[in-house]
Amino acid sequence: MRLAERLREFFRQRYPLGSLADAAAHKTVPVHRHSFWYYWGGLTLFLIAIQIASGVLLLLYYRPSASEAFESVRFLMTKVEFGWLVRSVHAWAANLVIFCAFVHLASVFFLKAYRPPRELTWVTGALLLFLLMGFGFTGYLLPWNTLAFFATKVGTEIAGVVPVLGPIMQMFLRGGGDVGDVTLTRFFWLHIAILPIGLLGLLGLHLAMIQLQGMSKPLSVKDERAIPFFPNFLLRDLIGWVLMLGAVLAVSVYWPATLGQKADPFAVTPAGIAPEWYFLWMFQTLKLFPSHVLGLEGELVAVGLTGLAGGALVLVPWLDRPARAGRSFWLVRLIGVAGLLYIMGMTFYALWIGQHH
């Protein structure tokens, strides 16, 4: 008996995993002209693993207080061997993981992979994207530099606009009336404890569902060709992971993360403060929205519409009724394309504005 079979038999006798293990052993992946999009989920998973590994290394030196956070990051970048590289890898992977998650979600939407019985796989995937953005928001403040401080101040002010729950959420995030030492401590624990617990739980569910149900095939594909997940698809996944690791290391070396100036809570808000690129479309929408709409505060209407869009995104498998019946409807595709173009257009517009002011 080969070593791999003996190991499998060893674990099977001691830890029977039932249908999940059987599904994983016999899992296949459809082969068709849209197969390229299957790899984006694996890339997202790989970048999450990079984030966890580099985040643990950063924790060895980071001190979560307003008086020590900036100095601890500066010490890491200037005194610790390869500390600058670890921080740069963490920063670049944080951006790339959200980009890959966006691409993965968009591909699942346009291939209609959320149709029955995979509704909950879509829901857990959408919630994972929100969680990853939460990681970005909470992690942004941790270096305690000027840009992070004032961007967090603006971000928490926007959260406070929401009626009833907004002020409560703002107080919870800030730990007081303004961004300060307590805010940094709360963001730190959210970033390294609360959000990771949610991430691991949702990720485990998401992967288990994929293992049990397999990968969806687009409605337009009638071909039954498929390859085994192990080792054929996994080896192709590994090639993508190696290429992604090379890309992360390359951008980290040639464009390392910078630290800027230490935050001064008493300073005037600098001009051109903006959030990370994945929040820019929301930020720009708020800036362009009219001050009043039908007698309501424009900012409140914009935040409300963004919240509704987020809720609609989670409920897509039930809102797209034609897809539930195995049909493709042009209006759903049009809404998806319009939403994607809006997000991209507002993001590039905000970047252009930032460079010309």
Side-chain angles (χ1 to χ4, degrees):
M1 186 180 291
R2 290 188 304 173
L3 179 62
E5 292 176 358
R6 290 170 64 183
L7 281 174
R8 194 182 304 133
E9 191 60 29
F10 176 87
F11 284 102
R12 186 177 296 162
Q13 288 174 358
R14 287 159 181 78
Y15 309 103
L17 296 177
S19 56
L20 186 60
D22 290 338
H26 300 99
K27 182 180 175 183
T28 58
V29 179
V31 177
H32 47 77
R33 61 193 175 96
H34 302 295
S35 296
F36 168 76
W37 301 107
Y38 288 147
Y39 297 99
W40 288 90
L43 288 174
T44 307
L45 181 64
F46 177 66
L47 286 165
I48 288 174
I50 289 181
Q51 284 299 88
I52 293 172
S54 57
V56 169
L57 292 175
L58 292 177
L59 269 180
L60 297 176
Y61 294 93
Y62 184 73
R63 295 176 183 172
S65 71
S67 59
E68 295 179 300
F70 183 84
E71 284 76 10
S72 66
V73 176
R74 186 168 59 188
F75 176 80
L76 173 87
M77 295 177 67
T78 56
K79 303 294 183 185
V80 179
E81 200 166 1
F82 294 110
W84 63 273
L85 181 61
V86 175
R87 180 166 180 253
S88 296
V89 165
H90 195 73
W92 274 107
N95 286 286
L96 287 169
V97 72
I98 291 178
F99 174 76
C100 289
F102 264 125
V103 174
H104 181 47
L105 191 81
S107 66
V108 171
F109 176 85
F110 287 110
L111 295 177
K112 298 193 178 298
Y114 50 77
R115 61 189 192 277
R118 296 179 176 81
E119 299 98 320
L120 294 182
T121 311
W122 167 272
V123 171
T124 52
L127 294 179
L128 277 170
L129 175 62
F130 295 158
L131 266 184
L132 290 174
M133 294 173 74
F135 272 101
F137 183 64
T138 53
Y140 200 50
L141 179 65
L142 300 190
W144 199 248
N145 56 28
T146 302
L147 181 63
F149 177 84
F150 287 103
T152 304
K153 198 169 181 176
V154 172
T156 48
E157 279 171 3
I158 293 171
V161 171
V162 180
V164 186
L165 288 177
I168 298 171
M169 192 187 309
Q170 187 185 57
M171 182 63 75
F172 171 76
L173 290 172
R174 289 183 169 182
D178 208 344
V179 176
D181 194 31
V182 180
T183 316
L184 179 66
T185 308
R186 292 192 175 195
F187 273 45
F188 172 72
W189 287 111
L190 281 169
H191 193 72
I192 69 149
I194 308 300
L195 291 179
I197 291 172
L199 177 79
L200 293 176
L202 275 175
L203 192 59
L205 276 174
H206 192 70
L207 294 176
M209 290 173 189
I210 294 171
Q211 289 301 323
L212 286 171
Q213 297 174 325
M215 292 184 183
S216 171
K217 203 166 59 174
L219 287 169
S220 59
V221 174
K222 305 300 178 190
D223 200 333
E224 296 297 329
R225 283 190 305 150
I227 58 172
F229 176 81
F230 184 82
N232 302 49
F233 185 80
L234 184 59
L235 287 174
R236 297 182 185 188
D237 243 355
L238 285 175
I239 293 172
W241 296 0
V242 170
L243 293 175
M244 179 57 77
L245 180 61
V248 171
L249 287 173
V251 293
S252 299
V253 168
Y254 286 103
W255 295 282
T258 55
L259 185 56
Q261 298 295 319
K262 184 175 181 178
D264 178 3
F266 300 106
V268 179
T269 305
I273 286 292
E276 287 283 56
W277 64 269
Y278 37 87
F279 291 119
L280 275 180
W281 67 275
M282 288 185 265
F283 182 68
Q284 196 60 36
T285 300
L286 284 172
K287 287 175 70 176
L288 294 178
F289 222 75
S291 58
H292 288 86
V293 178
L294 299 175
L296 297 171
E297 290 286 336
E299 207 171 40
L300 173 63
V301 175
V303 171
L305 289 175
T306 306
L308 283 175
L313 182 73
V314 174
L315 297 175
V316 158
W318 293 277
L319 295 176
D320 186 3
R321 298 179 71 85
R324 297 181 67 80
R327 291 183 285 108
S328 182
F329 186 39
W330 64 269
L331 183 58
V332 176
R333 184 174 292 272
L334 181 65
I335 291 172
V337 171
L340 197 59
L341 289 177
Y342 179 80
I343 290 173
M344 291 172 63
M346 292 301 273
T347 300
F348 284 118
Y349 179 62
L351 290 172
W352 184 82
I353 290 284
Q355 289 181 347
H356 291 79
H357 286 78

